[in-house]
Every structure is written in C-alpha cells, then in structure tokens.
Amino acid sequence: MEYRRVKDQENYDAVSQKDIESPGERSLSSKFTAAATSSLSTAGGSKGKNSWKLKSIVTLALTLLTSSQAILIVWSKRAGKYEYSVTTANFSVEALKCLLSLIALYRTWNSQGVTEDNRLSTSFDEVSVYPIPAVLYMVKNLLQYYIFAYVDAPAYQILKNLNIISTGVLYRIILKKKLSEIQWAAFILLCAGCTTAQLNPSSDHVLQTPIQGWMMAIVMALLSGFAGVYTEAIIKKRPSRNINVQNFWLYIFGMLFNLVAICVQDFDAVMNKGFFHGYTFITILMILNHALSGIAVSMVMKYADNIVKVYSTSVAMLLTAVVSVFLFGFHLSLAFFLGSTVVSVSVYLHSVGKPQPQK
C-alpha cells in the first residue's frame, strides 16, 4: 500500500508539473479526472444497488420460508393427523441438507481446489463432537410436529421466539458472553409479549395454549438454544474449517439418529406401507422449506446482517397469522396483535442491544 501511495504521488506530481507548463494539457487532464471520477461514482452506485438488491432478495426469501414453515406443517395434516411418518420426513430434511452441503462443497473444490480446510476427510476427535448437537436438533425437530396438537400456526411463530431467551442465557453460562441491560430487558418484554399474544378473553381459560403446549415450547427452546451454542463452540474451535464440511458431518449424524428414530417409532409402518407413504405435494414443500430455511439463514449472515433476521421474524409472525385466517379460520384478536408487536420490539432490542467491545 505504501509503495502504491508513493507511486501515485509521483504520478500526481508529474501531471501537476505538466499542467504548469501547458494550459492545454491541463484542460485535457481535468477532463480525464472528471471522467474517471464519474466512472468510479457509477461503479460505486452500481455496486451499492446490487448489494441492496441481494439483501432484498435474501430478506424476502427468509421471510417467506419462516412464515410458511408452521403453515405447511399444519397444512400437511389430514383430519388432524399426519398420514406420513414424521420421522421419515425429518430424515428426508437432513438428507436434503446434506446433499445441498455437498453441492456447495463441490463448487468450492472447483473454484479453490481441495485444501486441508475444505476436505471431507477428518479425524475422530473432530467428528466426535457432532453427535451431541445432532441428537438435540433431532428431538427438537420432531417435537415441532407434535406441538401442533396444542397450538396453532400463529401461536407457534410467537412461542418459538422463546429460544432467544434460552440461547442468551446459555451463551452467558457456557460461552461466558456478557449480556447488556437492554438485552435482559428484551427478554422480559419477550415473555410478556408471548403471554399477551396467548390471552383468551372469550374463555374461562386465561391462555389459549394449554400447559402442554407451553412445556413443549420451552423444551424446544432449550434444545434449540443448547444445540446452537454447542454448534457455535464447535465452529469456533476451528474457524478456518469450511462451514459446509462442518454442516455435512452434522447432517450425517442427524441422518443416523433419525434412522434410529424410524426404527424405534415407525419401523412396522415403513416396512409395511413404504418410506414415502402418505406423502403429498404439501409434505414435499414442507421438507424443501425446512432444508432451504437453514441455507437462507446462512445467506443472511453472509450477504446481509442480523437486523434482516429481526425484520423477517417480525413480518413472518404477522404474515403467518393473516394466512391462517384464510386457511384455518384463525381469529386475529387484539391480544394477539399487541403481543406480536411486543415480541417484535423485544427481538429488535435484543439485536441492537449487544454489548459494545471496549476500546
């Protein structure tokens, strides 16, 4: 950089000397400088426009995927029951994510070649840490099918924000990360918003969601939080390792544990009726949705910023509620609207209230 700066200064001095000697060349130099400045300005504007366009596409994709996730699970039911095996659906999601990771790795190998950080071969010590988050994610993902026996799609979108609290607390305990006062206040607001959204003024029951639904939501939040924190600890243990390699091994163990779940829970049904029995077009869309959601989050982290996740989460809650009104006859009450607004504000505060590094 210093060499380039010296050379530029020498060139500038040379041009300046010529300008002094020749007024005609000074005019030509001015035109060249103006043209170059205009070209750089156009390039900068084009780059900024492309960046904004990419952020918009990623935000829209994440919002649609997040809002449709719960809707597709509920929509895949027939007469209030799943005609397909939820364990095979979960296995299919992990297999699809594993395939997508391999495709991404193949593109990396073609562009960068095979290196120590992006090769699939690994040691036992490295791969032995993946079973823990894999089994946690498996249980959490299976629970999200069964929770809809107690909650509807809009309530699920509200309650799943509880994982922000579990993740924050576990970050503090396991990774020793400090939380700001704003973030602790956001946790309180989040609890208040979730409770407000579940108020049921037209019934003897104070809350619309029964205690079983709340317990399952809390368990899912704890599982999701612990798995997320543990996975981040694994990634930070070797930050240079290609993320697709790490995802590949995580999904491989996810497939293995879901295969065990199939054998334990649905072995007879799968053997007698087939692996894909009961699958419909909606079921396939649901599996694609679950697989692509993880990729969308990764794209947000790479091409956008955390605030995009906040906006997507907030819009997804309201969008899920509106769509559920037409598909499932959901009653959009004032309590739900106020509660979802409070949840959106709390998610925003948690995002912007991160402790600033000390200088």
Side-chain angles (χ1 to χ4, degrees):
M1 289 297 293
E2 291 298 329
Y3 174 78
R4 179 182 291 179
R5 190 178 300 166
V6 171
K7 294 297 292 181
D8 289 344
Q9 184 65 35
E10 291 175 356
N11 293 338
Y12 177 80
D13 292 341
V15 173
S16 298
Q17 183 65 27
K18 288 182 180 180
D19 288 346
I20 293 173
E21 295 174 355
S22 173
E25 290 180 6
R26 182 190 307 164
S27 175
L28 182 61
S29 175
S30 299
K31 291 180 180 180
F32 175 78
T33 303
T37 303
S38 176
S39 176
L40 288 173
S41 177
T42 304
S46 176
K47 184 178 180 181
K49 186 177 180 181
N50 290 336
S51 176
W52 178 86
K53 187 176 181 181
L54 186 58
K55 283 186 179 181
S56 301
I57 293 173
V58 170
T59 304
L60 180 62
L62 184 61
T63 302
L64 292 176
L65 288 169
T66 304
S67 59
S68 60
Q69 198 169 77
I71 292 173
L72 288 172
I73 293 177
V74 175
W75 206 359
S76 67
K77 287 184 174 183
R78 291 291 181 271
K81 295 182 179 180
Y82 299 110
E83 292 187 355
Y84 59 90
S85 167
V86 295
T87 53
T88 62
N90 218 25
F91 177 89
S92 300
V93 171
E94 296 298 313
L96 182 56
K97 289 193 291 187
C98 189
L99 176 62
L100 293 173
S101 295
L102 279 177
I103 293 174
L105 265 178
Y106 179 74
R107 293 182 61 183
T108 301
W109 292 335
N110 281 341
S111 61
Q112 302 176 9
V114 179
T115 65
E116 187 66 26
D117 289 327
N118 65 26
R119 64 172 70 248
L120 281 178
S121 58
T122 182
S123 64
F124 176 79
D125 289 338
E126 181 182 1
V127 81
S128 62
V129 297
Y130 291 106
I132 295 177
V135 72
L136 292 175
Y137 279 126
M138 181 203 69
V139 177
K140 177 257 178 185
N141 290 334
L142 287 177
L143 281 177
Q144 76 178 349
Y145 291 98
Y146 299 114
I147 195 175
F148 287 104
Y150 305 102
V151 303
D152 49 30
Y156 172 77
Q157 288 285 17
I158 292 283
L159 293 175
K160 79 174 187 176
N161 287 294
L162 291 172
N163 66 1
I164 296 176
I165 299 177
S166 65
T167 303
V169 173
L170 289 169
Y171 262 104
R172 183 71 182 90
I173 296 173
I174 299 175
L175 297 182
K176 307 298 181 183
K177 286 192 174 182
K178 292 184 178 180
L179 298 172
S180 67
E181 294 179 356
I182 295 178
Q183 288 181 309
W184 285 112
F187 290 162
I188 298 174
L189 272 179
L190 184 60
C191 293
C194 289
T195 305
T196 302
Q198 295 302 305
L199 291 178
N200 189 10
S202 61
S203 174
D204 294 336
H205 298 90
V206 178
L207 301 176
Q208 293 181 357
T209 301
I211 188 65
Q212 296 95 324
W214 277 94
M215 292 302 297
M216 291 181 72
I218 292 172
V219 170
M220 287 175 62
L222 290 172
L223 290 171
S224 178
F226 187 77
V229 172
Y230 193 91
T231 303
E232 181 171 334
I234 294 173
I235 293 173
K236 288 188 174 181
K237 187 177 180 181
R238 188 179 173 183
S240 61
R241 193 70 155 132
N242 187 287
I243 187 64
N244 291 305
V245 174
Q246 294 172 317
N247 284 339
F248 171 82
W249 286 110
L250 180 63
Y251 300 148
I252 285 291
F253 281 103
M255 292 169 62
L256 291 175
F257 286 122
N258 278 284
L259 195 60
V260 173
I262 292 173
C263 295
V264 172
Q265 183 174 327
D266 298 314
F267 181 79
D268 291 336
V270 171
M271 293 301 294
N272 295 329
K273 299 178 181 179
F275 189 91
F276 298 105
H277 173 75
Y279 277 46
T280 62
F281 179 68
I282 300 299
T283 310
I284 296 172
L285 284 180
M286 180 196 69
I287 291 172
L288 286 172
N289 175 283
H290 279 70
L292 293 175
S293 293
I295 296 176
V297 172
S298 299
M299 290 183 67
V300 165
M301 295 302 181
K302 184 174 182 179
Y303 297 111
D305 46 42
N306 195 50
I307 203 67
V308 169
K309 288 181 64 180
V310 175
Y311 291 140
S312 297
T313 301
S314 302
V315 174
M317 286 188 293
L318 295 177
L319 191 60
T320 301
V322 171
V323 174
S324 295
V325 169
F326 297 99
L327 289 180
F328 313 120
F330 173 72
H331 176 63
L332 189 60
S333 64
L334 178 62
F336 180 88
F337 178 76
L338 292 176
S340 59
T341 302
V342 172
V343 169
S344 299
V345 172
S346 68
V347 172
Y348 172 77
L349 289 176
H350 180 268
S351 175
V352 300
K354 294 179 178 179
Q356 298 298 323
Q358 295 181 352
K359 295 182 180 180

